[in-house]
Amino acid sequence: MDISDILQGLGSRPVDRDPFADGHDDPFAADRGQQSGQADLQALTRVWVNERGAAELLPWPRDGLIERATNRIKQQIELVEQMTGDMDPKTNFSLIIIQTEVERWKFLIRSYLRTRVSKIDKHTLHYLSTPALLERLSETEVAYATRHQQLLHNHYLSSFLGSFPQNLQNLNDTAGGISMISGPDEDAGVFVRGLGSRDVGGEGTVVVRGRGRDGDGEVEVERGEVVVARWSDVRDLVEKGEMELV
Amino acid sequence: MALPLQAGLTPMEVAFLCEMEMVTVVPRQRLESLNLLSGPTPTLRPPHRAPLPLWLALLLKRQRRANILPPPWLLPSSLERILRHETETSPLAFSPPPPHPHPITSRISPTDHISPPFLPSSTADAPPDYLPYHWLELGEILLEAASDDVPEPDRVRGLLRDLREVRMSKMRGSVKGLEGEGGGVSKMTGVGAMEVSEGRGFILGVLDGLRKLGSSREVARREREEEEGGGEGSEDEEMEFE
């Protein structure tokens, strides 16, 4: 499977309803009908930076963001192909600008998808193990993860697992209270920025309930303020859109 | 095909983000509005100023089709005031970031959750005396690609270097605050993107190391509190430690 296959698959994917869409997490709920390119660029940038910063796989954007962005790029490339027909030096420079921008969008999407693939590769069984985690993957990613795990398991079976006793052949044993399936470190530290909340006062302060070694506490993070915290303490706030990773 | 990079943005990726910042250009040539993916660009008509994303401004600058107006905070006088603030007024904390240009009102608006690089913190009408999130990259990029547009480029270069050194030592010093106090959340108010990118490995390494060393102590404390708290919910317990 290649990036272009995933990108192609995305185009044909039906646009799901956003399970997290309850108003405040969607900064652009107001112009939901026709998402502007600028809003999509901002959303795409945010999901990319978040995904690059987090150790675990974040939920796939269910509002069709990636599909929309891919379609936009496709249309723009068609436009470029039309414009290359008439080689007038004046449109030539416009063409360079348009192509540069398309490359920037393509980089964002490619890096975003590759980051997700690397996380799926690292903990394939973990993400396949519960429906809640599986929900975070896009359809193509589920197909990729399943196939990946199948190939790996078959390879293990034929190379060494097959000669083990039957009861030692599992890859997902939880005997002895220790699960064989390893997941990402959910308590790993992250840099997050407060984006603002509507819950506390008018200043948009976000309250982080943090767990420390010597005591738990609540810390008020102002809008635009960057803090270091444990990922598990801020995960919900990031998913709600009140914070972002930096 | 999987991305072979660690979590967290690399300096190259930070620079890529920085190129989305808006800057103000003075065009030297006409350029009609272009329908880009991120929306139409303004029609460029000399000598009218226009806001453009940095990547596009650089493209125009390299072809001598436009000049870039440096943001007010990049002027030597402003940088000197910020440096004085960093060294004298608050020798431990970073100087504060620029105020958010779109306050949260009772009406839900698309600007509520907007953040750098999409805030207009480096246009010609941005506030002086505040270092925006992408200050270091933006300063370096402008000095490299448009040094003839920046007044006193050598002095600016020197001031940026001084600021960087002062702030790097603060970044290293902030590790002392990572020791479990304040509920394990430590503030880095005013930190810049490149500084986060550079300091991430060290700071998160210290944080995770301390967490692992103190994990047995933390578990013991939590169990003790659970017993003392009795039937009360865990949320009430947490309030005591505020």
Side-chain angles (χ1 to χ4, degrees):
Chain A
M1 172 137 20
D2 193 50
I3 285 283
S4 57
D5 292 340
I6 295 186
L7 286 174
Q8 222 159 40
L10 291 175
S12 57
R13 208 171 155 270
V15 178
D16 294 333
R17 204 189 62 84
D18 180 5
F20 299 100
D22 48 4
H24 56 261
D25 66 319
D26 183 356
F28 307 106
D31 44 49
R32 179 173 278 272
Q34 183 58 57
Q35 295 269 22
S36 74
Q38 181 65 22
D40 272 352
L41 176 63
Q42 294 182 3
L44 188 61
T45 309
R46 185 164 291 165
V47 293
W48 173 62
V49 178
N50 281 347
E51 198 70 63
R52 285 286 286 116
E56 76 174 330
L57 191 75
L58 301 181
W60 176 257
R62 297 284 172 192
D63 59 352
L65 170 68
I66 307 297
E67 295 82 345
R68 264 202 318 275
T70 325
N71 278 336
R72 280 180 203 279
I73 293 173
K74 211 180 283 170
Q75 283 168 11
Q76 199 79 334
I77 290 175
E78 277 167 22
L79 182 77
V80 169
E81 279 166 1
Q82 276 173 20
M83 280 171 76
T84 29
D86 43 85
M87 280 306 272
D88 159 32
K90 216 167 190 180
T91 46
N92 210 359
F93 183 62
S94 312
L95 214 62
I96 293 176
I97 296 177
I98 292 175
Q99 275 175 321
T100 308
E101 202 217 12
V102 167
E103 288 306 318
R104 292 180 65 88
W105 279 62
K106 276 162 78 176
F107 169 78
L108 273 178
I109 294 190
R110 193 174 298 138
S111 180
Y112 174 66
L113 293 177
R114 290 181 66 194
T115 310
R116 293 181 62 90
V117 168
S118 83
K119 292 181 187 180
I120 295 170
D121 277 354
K122 220 176 264 170
H123 302 291
T124 320
L125 263 183
H126 171 72
Y127 293 113
L128 290 175
S129 60
T130 69
L133 287 170
L134 206 55
E135 184 72 3
R136 296 188 192 174
L137 279 66
S138 74
E139 269 170 40
T140 20
E141 285 167 346
V142 172
Y144 169 78
T146 321
R147 188 91 185 96
H148 174 103
Q149 191 56 39
Q150 226 170 34
L151 284 171
L152 200 65
H153 199 176
N154 284 342
H155 170 63
Y156 286 167
L157 271 179
S158 61
S159 53
F160 64 91
L161 266 187
S163 41
F164 284 7
Q166 194 72 37
N167 60 340
L168 292 180
Q169 285 191 3
N170 282 339
L171 288 177
N172 55 355
D173 226 13
T174 49
I178 299 166
S179 175
M180 272 178 80
I181 305 175
S182 67
D185 184 1
E186 298 191 351
D187 283 335
V190 286
F191 282 81
V192 279
R193 178 193 290 122
L195 289 175
S197 154
R198 307 197 142 260
D199 299 341
V200 195
E203 298 301 313
T205 310
V206 182
V207 178
V208 178
R209 193 164 286 146
R211 293 165 302 130
R213 187 189 65 189
D214 299 329
D216 301 340
E218 290 190 354
V219 177
E220 293 191 353
V221 180
E222 282 169 43
R223 255 176 122 201
E225 214 169 30
V226 176
V227 299
V228 181
R230 291 189 193 177
W231 167 242
S232 48
D233 290 341
V234 294
R235 175 172 38 204
D236 291 348
L237 293 165
V238 171
E239 275 178 26
K240 262 162 71 185
E242 293 182 2
M243 294 190 115
E244 67 173 347
L245 295 172
V246 291
Chain B
M1 149 176 141
L3 199 68
L5 295 172
Q6 296 250 312
L9 298 179
T10 62
M12 291 295 280
E13 290 170 325
V14 172
F16 174 81
L17 267 189
C18 173
E19 284 173 355
M20 297 186 194
E21 286 264 353
M22 292 303 256
V23 292
T24 307
V25 299
V26 182
R28 294 162 69 167
Q29 262 181 27
R30 282 181 68 99
L31 185 71
E32 293 305 318
S33 171
L34 285 174
N35 242 330
L36 294 185
L37 291 170
S38 53
T41 59
T43 310
L44 301 183
R45 206 174 285 123
H48 296 283
R49 298 174 173 194
L52 285 181
L54 181 61
W55 63 266
L56 182 48
L58 290 174
L59 211 61
L60 294 174
K61 173 72 193 171
R62 291 209 179 99
Q63 304 226 352
R64 298 174 197 280
R65 292 170 195 259
N67 288 88
I68 301 176
L69 278 179
W73 56 263
L74 196 64
L75 300 179
S77 56
S78 174
L79 287 177
E80 258 163 19
R81 280 193 295 272
I82 300 172
L83 184 61
R84 210 172 310 130
H85 187 282
E86 294 268 2
T87 48
E88 289 164 24
T89 318
S90 69
L92 291 176
F94 296 114
S95 60
H100 204 289
H102 311 287
I104 285 197
T105 56
S106 51
R107 246 189 95 247
I108 293 180
S109 120
T111 57
D112 280 355
H113 295 281
I114 208 164
S115 64
F118 299 107
L119 289 173
S121 52
S122 295
T123 50
D125 46 9
D129 300 345
Y130 293 104
L131 289 181
Y133 186 60
H134 286 289
W135 67 276
L136 183 59
E137 313 83 282
L138 202 112
E140 293 283 336
I141 290 175
L142 286 190
L143 281 176
E144 195 239 292
S147 58
D148 50 332
D149 291 339
V150 180
E152 301 180 67
D154 290 329
R155 227 171 115 214
V156 169
R157 200 168 282 129
L159 282 165
L160 283 181
R161 197 170 307 139
D162 290 349
L163 273 168
R164 186 175 143 77
E165 273 167 23
V166 171
R167 290 165 61 97
M168 268 324 267
S169 79
K170 291 183 184 182
M171 192 80 182
R172 284 191 295 269
S174 69
V175 170
K176 290 189 195 102
L178 294 174
E179 263 232 64
E181 285 158 43
V185 179
S186 21
K187 295 204 176 193
M188 298 265 168
T189 312
V191 74
M194 210 45 106
E195 291 154 335
V196 169
S197 173
E198 279 178 327
R200 185 191 310 266
F202 176 55
I203 290 197
L204 296 187
V206 170
L207 188 74
D208 288 346
L210 283 173
R211 188 192 83 222
K212 279 167 191 157
L213 286 174
S215 66
S216 61
R217 194 160 141 193
E218 192 183 327
V219 169
R221 175 182 63 83
R222 205 151 276 140
E223 279 170 0
R224 199 170 58 238
E225 281 166 17
E226 204 115 294
E227 278 169 26
E228 287 167 9
E232 279 178 56
S234 59
E235 277 187 25
D236 294 339
E237 277 169 46
E238 280 172 0
M239 300 296 280
E240 292 167 26
F241 285 87
E242 246 188 290

